[in-house]
């Protein structure tokens, strides 16, 4: 580390606390996620809380790069693992239940599915993507049990703190529900990663900063910062056609992410700061397809500012519109 970049992490020379650095520091070697489709549904699709799903969510339930749900989990795991090894020769694995809502089932079913991959050779932990309204007590108790014997993360989709936006995207839970979900998990020491999305309909820079500030003030250990992608076949297309959605430019996104990194705690693990959608489904913004260019631009902007994650972190009161 140096004085101009006090939070530079030696293994990847980033000005933010990367997921890659965290895993290498924790396990002593490369660890990568193996994205799986556990065959679950979503309460926001099947009528448990609503129908139609979040307007941005694809038919694959945000699991477009996960395994094929027609295959059993072990087959999926091995297929995705082999693809990952084309990029990384060596490494251990996090089994990532990504598609749809991965606690939306009885505990007996969850146990069968999680345990089927947890015992596979080289698996060092689990990451489970779900909703804060899908954490009944018996499920949380099982997650607490898992947390004692493996390296566990639960990923919760917040997306935004603004209730107007939440209604526009049909999120079907409010911010208080999110806070309650976090508290349920943290009571048992379970690591939580909050997902937020930049570029949601009718949101401006100030609103997106308030969402990041809310995450900064929650008892969570990780954050995923996403760019909104407009995908063919999603309900969001109609909102786009009605003029409720404008694509962010790359410069706008890069500057916003750097602003957000500056206000979150330096110890918060940044699991993601950009991403790309399936190219055959993408309507826009198309600049995001070049993910490495976006990542390099964020690095360059932080360097230009002589800035880093947590530079302006504080606990000032934030009100939500």
């Amino acid at each position: 580390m140096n004085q101009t970049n006090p939070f530079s992490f030696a293994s990847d020379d980033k000005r933010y606390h990367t997921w890659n650095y965290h895993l290498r520091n924790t396990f002593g070697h490369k660890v990568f996620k193996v994205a799986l489709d556990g065959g679950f549904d979503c309460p926001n699709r099947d009528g448990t809380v609503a129908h139609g799903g979040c307007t941005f969510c694809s038919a694959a339930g945000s699991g477009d790069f996960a395994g094929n749900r027609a295959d059993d989990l072990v087959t999926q795991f091995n297929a995705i693992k082999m693809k990952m090894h084309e990029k990384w020769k060596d490494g251990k694995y996090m089994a990532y239940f990504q598609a749809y809502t991965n606690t939306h089932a009885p505990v007996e079913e969850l146990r069968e599915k999680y345990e089927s991959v947890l015992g596979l050779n080289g698996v060092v932990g689990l990451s489970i993507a779900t909703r804060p309204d899908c954490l009944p007590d018996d499920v949380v108790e099982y997650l607490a049990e898992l947390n004692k014997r493996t390296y566990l993360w639960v990923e919760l989709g917040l997306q935004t703190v603004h209730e107007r936006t939440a209604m526009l995207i049909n999120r079907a839970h409010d911010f208080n529900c999110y806070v309650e979900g976090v508290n349920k998990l943290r009571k048992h020491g379970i690591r939580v990663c909050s997902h937020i999305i930049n570029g949601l309909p009718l949101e401006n820079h100030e609103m997106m900063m308030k969402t990041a500030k809310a995450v900064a003030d929650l008892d969570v250990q990780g954050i995923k910062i996403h760019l909104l992608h407009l995908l063919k076949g999603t309900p969001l297309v109609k909102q786009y056609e009605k003029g409720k959605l404008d694509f962010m430019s790359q410069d706008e996104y890069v500057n916003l992410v750097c602003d957000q990194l500056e206000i979150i705690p330096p110890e918060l693990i940044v699991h993601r700061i950009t991403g790309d959608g399936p190219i055959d489904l993408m309507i826009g913004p198309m600049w995001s397809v070049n993910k490495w260019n976006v990542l390099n631009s964020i690095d360059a902007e932080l360097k230009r500012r002589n800035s880093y994650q947590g530079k302006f972190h504080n606990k000032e009161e934030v009100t939500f519109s």
Side-chain angles (χ1 to χ4, degrees):
M1 295 186 184
N2 56 63
Q3 290 183 343
T4 59
N5 183 10
F7 295 104
S8 176
F9 296 95
S11 68
D12 49 14
D13 195 31
K14 297 289 186 178
R15 292 172 176 250
Y16 55 94
H17 192 165
T18 69
W19 175 239
N20 179 61
Y21 170 84
H22 170 74
L23 291 175
R24 283 189 179 275
N25 195 48
T26 300
F27 295 101
H29 45 66
K30 176 70 180 177
V31 176
F32 53 84
K33 280 184 168 179
V34 177
L36 304 170
D37 186 330
F40 298 103
D41 206 332
C42 175
N44 196 12
R45 291 173 181 255
D46 66 12
T48 303
V49 297
H51 291 280
C54 295
T55 61
F56 57 81
C57 195
S58 71
S62 295
D64 298 282
F65 299 111
N68 185 345
R69 69 164 39 201
D71 295 330
D72 65 78
L73 286 166
V74 174
T75 300
Q76 287 186 44
F77 182 90
N78 288 329
I80 298 295
K81 179 184 75 172
M82 293 306 295
K83 288 182 181 178
M84 302 299 282
H85 277 306
E86 293 174 4
K87 185 174 183 181
W88 295 290
K89 182 179 179 181
D90 300 310
K92 301 294 184 180
Y93 319 109
M94 287 277 292
Y96 179 26
F97 285 83
Q98 181 183 30
Y100 297 92
T101 304
N102 293 277
T103 59
H104 187 43
V107 170
E108 295 77 15
E109 182 179 342
L110 300 181
R111 186 181 297 274
E112 178 184 355
K113 292 182 176 181
Y114 299 165
E115 305 289 346
S116 70
V117 294
L118 188 57
L120 295 177
N121 185 44
V123 174
V124 297
L126 294 176
S127 189
I128 299 167
T130 191
R131 289 170 55 93
D133 55 2
C134 276
L135 294 170
D137 291 344
D138 59 343
V139 168
V140 174
E141 289 172 7
Y142 173 50
L143 293 174
E145 174 198 326
L146 280 174
N147 193 49
K148 292 177 180 178
R149 56 188 174 90
T150 193
Y151 181 75
L152 177 68
W153 281 85
V154 174
E155 303 190 18
L156 294 180
L158 172 60
Q159 324 311 2
T160 179
V161 295
H162 304 285
E163 300 305 333
R164 181 185 71 172
T165 311
M167 293 182 66
L168 278 173
I169 63 174
N170 194 40
R171 187 180 63 188
H173 67 73
D174 61 16
F175 183 61
N176 287 336
C177 175
Y178 192 86
V179 173
E180 290 171 4
V182 170
N183 291 340
K184 279 185 175 183
L185 295 168
R186 292 303 298 146
K187 181 180 178 181
H188 298 279
I190 298 168
R191 302 169 189 84
V192 178
C193 177
S194 289
H195 290 227
I196 66 174
I197 299 179
N198 291 326
L200 288 169
L202 304 181
E203 289 207 350
N204 59 26
H205 185 278
E206 180 184 5
M207 295 172 72
M208 289 180 271
M209 287 297 293
K210 285 182 177 179
T211 293
K213 181 64 167 62
V215 172
D217 291 344
L218 286 170
D219 181 17
V220 300
Q221 293 62 56
I223 187 171
K224 276 189 176 180
I225 303 174
H226 298 270
L227 169 68
L228 180 71
H229 293 111
L230 182 61
L231 302 179
K232 297 174 184 177
T234 61
L236 189 62
V237 173
K238 292 183 179 179
Q239 293 175 325
Y240 175 66
E241 292 171 346
K242 292 178 181 179
K244 293 183 178 180
L245 172 65
D246 292 316
F247 295 142
M248 297 185 76
S249 71
Q250 180 170 327
D251 286 346
E252 288 173 329
Y253 184 77
V254 167
N255 278 286
L256 172 62
V257 169
C258 291
D259 290 347
Q260 291 172 327
L261 289 172
E262 288 175 338
I263 66 167
I264 65 175
E267 69 275 10
L268 197 66
I269 300 161
V270 181
H271 291 229
R272 176 184 290 274
I273 55 172
T274 188
D276 51 357
I279 190 65
D280 58 325
L281 296 179
M282 281 280 287
I283 297 175
M286 296 309 296
W287 55 261
S288 66
V289 173
N290 191 344
K291 184 167 63 175
W292 286 107
N293 184 50
V294 180
L295 292 170
N296 291 337
S297 296
I298 291 169
D299 291 342
E301 176 60 17
L302 287 172
K303 185 176 182 180
R304 186 195 69 79
R305 297 182 184 192
N306 191 26
S307 194
Y308 45 83
Q309 179 181 335
K311 184 175 184 178
F312 302 124
H313 173 59
N314 57 61
K315 295 287 184 180
E316 292 178 0
E317 186 71 21
V318 175
T319 57
F320 306 124
S321 59

